[in-house]
Amino acid sequence: MPAPLKAVLLGAFLLPALCTGADWTVAKSAHFEVYSQDSEAEARIALQWFEQLRATVLREAGIDVSGRRAVRVIGFRSENEYSRYRMTPTADAYFVGADEGDTIVMPSLAETCFTMAAHEYAHLIQHAAASHLPPWLSEGLADVFSTVRWDQRGSRIGGELPGRLDVLRRHAWMPLQQLLVLPANSPLRNDRTTAALFYAESWILTEMLALSPAYRPRFASLLAALTSGADSAKAVESTYGKPLDAVRRDLVAWMGRRRGQSILLVSPPADAGVMSVAKVPAGAVQLMMAELLLAAGDLSEAESAYRDLTRETPERAEVWAGLGAIAAARKQYDEARALWKRAMDQGIGDAGICFRYAELLEGDVAHQEERRAALERAVALRPEFDDGRWVLALLEENSGHFQTALAHLQAMREVAPARAYHYWCTVADALTGLGRSEEATAAAGRALETAATAEERVYAAQLAHIARTHLAVRLARDEAGNPRMVTTRVPNDAVGFNPFIEPDDDLRRVQGTLREIECGSPPMRFFVDTPAGRLALTIPDPTRVQMRNAPAEFVCGPQPGNAVIVEYAATKEKEGIVRGVEFK
C-alpha cells in the first residue's frame, strides 16, 4: 500500500471555499517566496524580516536548512479572510512541512503578526532538521523564537509575551509531570483555555531552561537526550540532577522575578539579496489554495478545486498529481495510478509524487522499467531523497545491477536505526556480487552488529560466510550410497580445491615417488614409495581423481620415478582410495 500523504501539519485549518482573488503579490528571494493578499510593500517588508530571522537562526542556533526549497509564506488580507481557513480556534497561524517544500500560513503579514511568524518558523526549522522533540519543548522553543527582535546592536532573544504571562497569572498551572507527557493530539489542546495554558507553561519552562544562568549550560544536553527519544521527565531530572518538584519551584521563582529578560545575540543585519516582486496570476492562486486544502485533508474541497483547474489549465502536471493524491488518500489506487501516470507524462517535478507512483507499480512485473524510471526521476529531482534511493537500490540489487545498487546505497545521507540491519545486509550482498570480498565481509559484520533477533544474527553470519567463499561442486553420495555432484562453498583463499573429496573421507596426504601403475583387473592401483614404505592405493574410477601437472597419458607398469603428492581416503581395508595426484 502506498504511504500516507507526507505532510506534517502543525496547526490546522478548514477551507470551505477557495480564495481566488487576483490581487495577490509575491516577493521572492533565494530562501523565501512571500505571498501577500494585501500589498506589494507588505510582501517586501515581510520577506526582509524572514531573511533576517533565517540568518539569526543559522548563526546563533547552528541549524543549517540549506539545500531545501524556498519557504512559501502566505499572508491573507485580514483575520476574517484567514478565519475561513481555520479548523480550530487555537490555530492562529500554522506551518505545513512537506518533503517538496515548507509553507507558513498567516492571517496577515503586518508587523504585529511577526511574533506568530517566528513561532511557526521555529516549527519549520525543527521539521527541516528532523528534530523529533516532545510537544511541550517544540511549542516552547517556538515561543522563545518568537521573541527574537533586532536593534542597532544586533538581535535579542527572550522577553515578554503578554498573552502567555496573562494566562499563567490567571489560571492554576497544570502539574509539570502532565505537561511533559501531554501528546500532540491531546483533547486538552483542542480547548481554547487548556490549550492556552499548555502553550504558556511550555513557553515559561523552555525559557527558563534555555536562558536562565542555572539551567542554560546544560540545555544542549537536554535537547540531545530528548531528540533521541528519551522520556521528558526522566531526561529533565537526569540532566539537571533535580526532581521535578524542585524544577517546578525554580520555575515559579523564575516567573516571579522575571522582568522581560533577554539575551543579546550579536548578529549583523541580513540582506534579502536579489529580490523579485510580481503579481500572482489567478490560476496560480487557485493551485496554491488547492494544495493547502489537500495538505489539510479536506479532500472534497480539494478535489473540487483541482477539477476546476483541469478545465482551465489541463497542461499543468501539478493538477493531475493533486487529483492522484486525493484518489490515493481515498484508497482508489487504480485511479491514483492513472492520474499520476498523466502527471509523470507531463513532466511532474515533485519527487514525492514520483516516489509514490513507483510504490503503486511495486509487484507489477510488466511495468518495472516504468517503476525504475519514476524512482530515478525522484532521486534526480531530490538527490538527498534517502527513501527513494533505498527502494531504487533494492530494485537494482534484485535485478543483479550490483554496482548501480551500491552507488545508491552509498549516496544515502543517513541510515535510520530501523533500517540499519537491512541496509548493511543489502550492501554486503551487492559487494559480494561485485567480488569485493573483504568489503562485503565488513558490511556483513555491520549487519551482525545491528541485528535484533537470533534469526537476523544467523542470516548476517551467513552473509559473511558467503562473502568469504565462492561456489564450487564436489562429489557426494545420496542415501543409497550412489555418487552425485553437489554445490558447495569454498574459501576464496583456498588453494587446490578438490571436488572429489567426499564429506566423510578420512583424508590423508602423502609425498613420495610413483613406482608402478597396475592396470589389470579393476580397480586400477597406484604404488607409491614413501618415507614410511611402499603405499598401495586404489583408483575405482579414474574420472573421479583430480590430476595436477599430470603427463598427457599414463603407461601401465613400472614408472620412471616421478615425485608426487597423493591425497587419498583411508579405509578399513589396507589400501586407501586415491582422490588426487599432483605431479611435482
Side-chain angles (χ1 to χ4, degrees), residues 166-378:
D166 183 60
V167 169
L168 292 171
R169 288 166 179 158
R170 290 190 299 106
H171 298 279
W173 294 10
M174 68 175 65
L176 201 55
Q177 178 69 46
Q178 182 183 7
L179 175 74
L180 296 180
V181 300
L182 199 70
N185 60 354
S186 169
L188 293 177
R189 294 184 63 181
N190 292 328
D191 178 82
R192 172 65 76 172
T193 300
T194 53
L197 183 60
F198 166 77
Y199 286 115
E201 199 169 339
S202 296
W203 161 64
I204 196 67
L205 174 61
T206 303
E207 185 193 63
M208 181 187 77
L209 297 177
L211 302 184
S212 73
Y215 285 86
R216 186 183 183 190
R218 297 183 186 176
F219 186 61
S221 298
L222 178 65
L223 281 177
L226 293 175
T227 300
S228 68
D231 175 80
S232 287
K234 292 180 180 178
V236 170
E237 289 181 334
S238 62
T239 299
Y240 296 106
K242 293 183 178 183
L244 289 184
D245 288 344
V247 176
R248 177 179 170 79
R249 288 193 295 271
D250 290 344
L251 184 60
V252 172
W254 173 262
M255 169 74 180
R257 64 173 177 265
R258 69 186 316 284
R259 294 289 184 274
Q261 301 179 39
S262 63
I263 294 178
L264 178 64
L265 306 173
V266 181
S267 303
D271 188 350
V274 177
M275 181 192 301
S276 64
V277 181
K279 289 293 183 182
V280 184
V285 174
Q286 287 179 276
L287 179 60
M288 182 168 64
M289 296 302 164
E291 290 170 348
L292 290 180
L293 282 165
L294 177 57
D298 191 344
L299 303 183
S300 295
E301 288 293 335
E303 182 178 24
S304 178
Y306 279 115
R307 291 294 178 193
D308 288 343
L309 285 165
T310 61
R311 291 186 288 273
E312 297 172 14
T313 56
E315 73 284 355
R316 295 199 66 162
E318 298 93 337
V319 174
W320 304 105
L323 286 171
I326 293 169
R330 291 171 172 165
K331 299 184 179 181
Q332 298 168 345
Y333 300 123
D334 288 342
E335 182 178 355
R337 176 170 166 168
L339 290 164
W340 280 340
K341 174 66 165 61
R342 182 164 183 172
M344 293 288 294
D345 290 343
Q346 291 184 327
I348 186 68
D350 186 322
I353 292 296
C354 297
F355 179 74
R356 297 181 67 200
Y357 176 61
E359 285 186 305
L360 287 185
L361 296 176
E362 184 177 4
D364 188 338
V365 178
H367 292 85
Q368 286 309 288
E369 286 306 313
E370 190 175 349
R371 181 172 182 244
R372 177 182 279 106
L375 291 168
E376 288 174 343
R377 185 187 297 187

Side-chain angles (χ1 to χ4, degrees), residues 550-571:
E553 60 180 21
F554 290 101
V555 177
C556 296
Q559 299 297 306
N562 298 102
V564 294
I565 297 175
V566 182
E567 293 176 317
Y568 68 96
T571 64

